[in-house]
Amino acid sequence: DFHWPFTFNSGTFVEIGVNPNVEEIRAPFTINSSRGVQVLPGRYDFNEYFVLWRGNTSAPFSFEARYSNGEFYDGYRRGYTIGPRIRASEKFNASVSLQINDVELSGGAFVSKLVTSRVNYNFNTQMFVNALLQYNTDSRQWSSNLRFNIIHRPLSDFFLVYNERRDERTN
């Protein structure tokens, strides 16, 4: 990977870069089940070019945006991510983001969306809880992850984790 990060005195972060990818696919797989789009076996070399902008995350309100494009298997992909972040106090912060992937392959085209929300609450320096909730439009699935952490001594953490996934297609 080739990344050029820039951090400004204001706390704003900007990064541009290239992520080279090489994938050897031995059996076809379905990349989008709702449209039946498959990736066929073969060797794929492709690059993702991106730019990321993130406002000062220690500010009460910040914003993040990412744009990427490039080859993708035997086609092309454009990706967009946007989302705000709220830091209500040193104990509580939350964010929500929307990621959109516009994909064109020889087997078909599709637009995939992923909505992600995160909430973090720190009771003190040794106890916190994190929550992640996501919705994927391709799979029509909700997934959640809740994690409670207690650090009873350095490098000796106790985690209580709850994961759940719900398929909207079976309702």
Side-chain angles (χ1 to χ4, degrees), residues 130-144:
N130 304 38
L132 168 71
L133 178 66
Q134 291 185 317
Y135 179 71
N136 184 316
T137 61
D138 281 349
S139 61
R140 295 178 58 196
Q141 288 184 343
W142 290 93
S143 59
S144 62

Side-chain angles (χ1 to χ4, degrees), residues 85-101:
R85 177 185 309 253
I86 297 170
R87 184 176 168 87
S89 69
E90 68 278 352
K91 293 182 178 267
F92 177 80
N93 66 68
S95 66
V96 64
S97 68
L98 171 64
Q99 178 183 356
I100 300 170
N101 285 296

Side-chain angles (χ1 to χ4, degrees), residues 15-157:
E15 182 176 29
I16 56 175
V18 178
N19 293 322
N21 296 279
V22 176
E23 292 194 34
E24 184 76 33
I25 307 298
R26 301 197 187 282
F29 71 92
T30 303
I31 193 167
N32 183 283
S33 58
S34 64
R35 297 204 182 248
V37 180
Q38 287 194 329
V39 174
L40 300 175
R43 180 183 167 94
Y44 297 95
D45 295 280
F46 52 93
N47 293 316
E48 174 198 37
Y49 303 92
F50 73 91
V51 61
L52 167 69
W53 179 85
R54 182 181 304 130
N56 181 357
T57 58
S58 64
F61 179 79
S62 62
F63 194 80
E64 181 174 321
R66 185 178 193 272
Y67 172 74
S68 63
N69 69 30
E71 300 92 7
F72 188 66
Y73 296 108
D74 64 352
Y76 194 79
R77 182 181 69 81
R78 283 170 296 285
Y80 314 88
T81 304
I82 57 170
R85 177 185 309 253
I86 297 170
R87 184 176 168 87
S89 69
E90 68 278 352
K91 293 182 178 267
F92 177 80
N93 66 68
S95 66
V96 64
S97 68
L98 171 64
Q99 178 183 356
I100 300 170
N101 285 296
D102 185 1
V103 178
E104 297 173 17
L105 300 175
S106 64
F110 61 93
V111 175
S112 170
K113 296 176 189 144
L114 179 68
V115 178
T116 303
S117 64
R118 296 178 185 273
V119 176
N120 299 303
Y121 185 80
N122 302 311
F123 298 96
N124 55 47
T125 58
Q126 296 181 320
M127 185 171 30
F128 62 84
V129 64
N130 304 38
L132 168 71
L133 178 66
Q134 291 185 317
Y135 179 71
N136 184 316
T137 61
D138 281 349
S139 61
R140 295 178 58 196
Q141 288 184 343
W142 290 93
S143 59
S144 62
N145 172 274
L146 300 171
R147 184 176 68 154
F148 178 70
N149 183 9
I150 296 176
I151 305 170
H152 62 91
R153 65 176 191 246
L155 301 175
S156 186
D157 294 29

